[in-house]
Amino acid sequence: MENLERFRDLDSPWSWVVLVASFVSLFVVGGTNYSVGLVHNVLLDRYNGTQSSTALVGAVYTSISNVAAPLSSFLTDRFGVRPTIMLSGLLYTSGYLGAAFAPTLATAAVTCGVIAGFGCAICWTSSMVACNFHFRKYRNLALGLAISGSGAGVFGVPPIITWAKGFYGSFGFFVTLACITAQLIVCGFVIRPSDLEIYAKRKRSLESKKGEHVNLLRLYFNVLKSKVVMCMSLSMLTFCAGMYIVFLYLPRYCIIQGSTEFQASNLVSICGLTSLLGRVLTGAIANTKFFQPRVSYLYAGSLVLLSAISCTFPLYSSRYPGQVAFAVVFGLCFGTPYTVINAVNLQHMGVERVTAALGVELCFCGFGGLLGPVVAGLSADAGATLGQVFLIAGIFIGVSSVFGFIPNFISTRVDGGADLTTSDIELEVDADSRHKLNKQHEEQQENDQKDTHSEKINMLENAT
């Protein structure tokens, strides 16, 4: 085993520039991803469609943005972080510009739902993985700061696009979204490849002599065989099912409870603001010596708290202070799973497979984003109150916490190898691949020496 200290650009000054770019990327993605309720209202006013048909646009967007996450993993592994994020910006911008000119709801479903959804999917994984390739000592802290961009986006984007809607109408609403998402192109350009990213890419290339696509399938197959990845995937599925129910129904439920539309919209911003603080604190806590080997407990513990406050929300939601309290605590905790999931993957899968593992888990998250609203909608149609819908959300998140606890009882192994500690995995560079690289380097040196020797002999013969 060789440690990562030989990659001298890790934790360099430029790494912090990359962190800022990753933060802004996730600001854009988080802000747009959790503004689906605002987009839903704009589409309702614009096309006068039914609730169910209009909600389909948001459902398509949220599901694609997560189900297509393995595509982001593939593009990141194949081409790198920089071009993947730049492609995301192009898709995002095209989707929202297309929605601004969309003549029908069906057209908006394609532009705002499908195209923008793929833009979101491509950006999620690559933006989160960027910090893995640029930090070692401060990795968990950097991840926490970067992921906090998503919470900042939930706080910052809704007021901007709401103002644009009031001032410019639905057309300006979507043009403003397009302008915001175009910043991803700039962010991608800033994230230049690190030595570790180049090494990981070269290593995968060495392992793919029998065929790149076969090797990619083998990689994902090995990842899917991991009990930890399956537990985390099921945890993310049920967590996202409950979370999207909350974000979909929170404004409407609070209005029914007597709050104004302005107060209800402020609750989403409160969630975003406290999420920003919560993700930073989570990253700092996860970076401590005590929690580094226990990040799974941090992950699952936050889900237990989210489940409790969601199940009991109807008991204290009749007044606005209770609603604000819920938004504060929910915002502080709902970003924790996203903040520490990379650390859990690194503990159990190693740096070479962390991208694939995260892609699989976010794919399951997409199915949860589709499952939760469907179950909640069917329950409401069957006569359930919105208070009971929040109970359903809490149950989903409670199940998620159970799956999140299981990895604590699974040995930390990489491909059936010996048990690894957190520090071992963080410093892991596969010895076999390193041996291959060194052997190739030695062979090249021997060939160069032979060529030099032959040239000298030829020169002497010519001189003679």
Side-chain angles (χ1 to χ4, degrees):
M1 264 185 208
E2 181 179 347
N3 63 43
L4 297 183
E5 291 178 354
R6 71 188 186 93
F7 299 104
R8 298 185 181 276
D9 60 346
L10 297 181
D11 301 310
S12 67
W14 192 260
S15 298
W16 298 98
V17 177
V18 171
L19 171 59
V20 172
S22 180
F23 176 92
V24 175
S25 298
L26 291 169
F27 176 95
V28 172
V29 175
T32 54
N33 199 38
Y34 294 107
S35 295
V36 289
L38 298 176
V39 173
H40 176 79
N41 291 334
V42 170
L43 294 176
L44 273 176
D45 295 338
R46 190 177 191 181
Y47 300 108
N48 296 318
T50 63
Q51 286 281 351
S52 58
S53 62
T54 307
L56 184 62
V57 179
V60 169
Y61 173 86
T62 54
S63 59
I64 288 180
S65 65
N66 289 284
V67 171
L71 176 62
S72 178
S73 300
F74 168 76
L75 293 174
T76 303
D77 287 340
R78 180 66 178 84
F79 301 105
V81 173
R82 171 185 276 178
T84 303
I85 294 180
M86 294 179 71
L87 175 61
S88 167
L90 290 173
L91 288 173
Y92 243 141
T93 305
S94 301
Y96 285 126
L97 279 179
F101 294 95
T104 64
L105 182 61
T107 307
V110 174
T111 57
C112 185
V114 178
I115 299 177
F118 274 108
C120 180
I122 291 174
C123 190
W124 264 121
T125 305
S126 54
S127 296
M128 294 172 70
V129 169
C131 289
N132 287 336
F133 288 131
H134 287 83
F135 287 92
R136 179 184 65 87
K137 183 178 179 181
Y138 303 106
R139 178 178 289 154
N140 285 333
L141 177 61
L143 285 172
L145 291 171
I147 296 296
S148 67
S150 177
V154 178
F155 175 74
V157 171
I160 296 173
I161 58 179
T162 300
W163 171 84
K165 176 181 178 291
F167 199 79
Y168 298 109
S170 61
F171 179 84
F173 175 86
F174 287 110
V175 171
T176 302
L177 277 172
C179 292
I180 292 173
T181 54
Q183 307 311 308
L184 292 173
I185 301 173
V186 180
C187 293
F189 185 78
V190 168
I191 303 177
R192 67 189 184 194
S194 68
D195 291 343
L196 178 58
E197 182 179 354
I198 295 171
Y199 174 85
K201 187 176 180 180
R202 186 184 305 164
K203 180 179 178 180
R204 286 190 296 268
S205 178
L206 285 174
E207 294 175 347
S208 64
K209 291 181 178 180
K210 295 183 179 180
E212 183 175 329
H213 299 292
V214 174
N215 183 69
L216 180 66
L217 291 174
R218 186 183 298 114
L219 172 63
Y220 274 96
F221 180 73
N222 289 334
V223 167
L224 286 170
K225 287 195 301 182
S226 168
K227 296 178 182 178
V228 172
V229 171
M230 288 309 302
C231 286
M232 297 303 293
S233 297
L234 292 173
S235 178
M236 289 301 290
L237 185 149
T238 48
F239 164 62
C240 289
M243 180 187 65
Y244 280 113
I245 290 175
V246 171
F247 276 102
L248 182 63
Y249 287 100
L250 179 62
R252 182 182 175 187
Y253 177 65
C254 291
I255 291 173
I256 293 175
Q257 293 294 91
S259 300
T260 66
E261 290 187 6
F262 178 76
Q263 289 175 323
S265 64
N266 279 344
L267 294 175
V268 179
S269 293
I270 290 173
C271 280
L273 180 61
T274 55
S275 175
L276 172 62
L277 175 61
R279 293 173 196 239
V280 173
L281 290 176
T282 298
I285 293 171
N287 205 57
T288 61
K289 291 183 179 180
F290 178 81
F291 275 105
Q292 277 186 356
R294 301 175 179 86
V295 287
S296 294
Y297 288 102
L298 193 61
Y299 172 94
S302 66
L303 293 172
V304 172
L305 183 56
L306 286 172
S307 175
I309 63 171
S310 298
C311 289
T312 59
F313 183 47
L315 301 178
Y316 56 89
S317 60
S318 59
R319 295 182 179 275
Y320 192 64
Q323 299 167 12
V324 171
F326 173 82
V328 168
V329 179
F330 195 89
L332 283 172
C333 297
F334 93 89
T336 297
Y338 292 110
T339 304
V340 301
I341 192 170
N342 257 335
V344 176
N345 289 332
L346 282 166
Q347 280 189 348
H348 295 274
M349 303 303 295
V351 69
E352 292 83 12
R353 294 172 178 82
V354 65
T355 305
L358 182 61
V360 171
E361 289 155 358
L362 291 181
C363 180
F364 275 76
C365 185
F367 288 117
L370 187 62
L371 173 66
V374 169
V375 172
L378 291 175
S379 301
D381 290 341
T385 64
L386 291 186
Q388 292 170 334
V389 166
F390 274 87
L391 176 61
I392 295 173
I395 292 173
F396 269 122
I397 299 175
V399 174
S400 175
S401 68
V402 174
F403 285 116
F405 269 118
I406 294 176
N408 295 300
F409 309 101
I410 299 176
S411 295
T412 304
R413 294 174 178 268
V414 179
D415 284 350
D419 288 352
L420 302 174
T421 65
T422 303
S423 57
D424 287 335
I425 293 175
E426 287 183 344
L427 300 178
E428 177 197 8
V429 176
D430 186 83
D432 183 59
S433 295
R434 177 168 56 86
H435 176 71
K436 291 179 182 178
L437 290 173
N438 291 337
K439 187 176 180 181
Q440 286 183 351
H441 182 65
E442 292 173 359
E443 291 176 352
Q444 183 64 39
Q445 286 182 330
E446 291 177 1
N447 292 333
D448 292 341
Q449 291 175 356
K450 290 179 181 178
D451 292 340
T452 303
H453 184 66
S454 298
E455 290 177 0
K456 290 180 178 180
I457 293 176
N458 291 334
M459 290 176 65
L460 290 174
E461 291 178 349
N462 291 335
T464 303

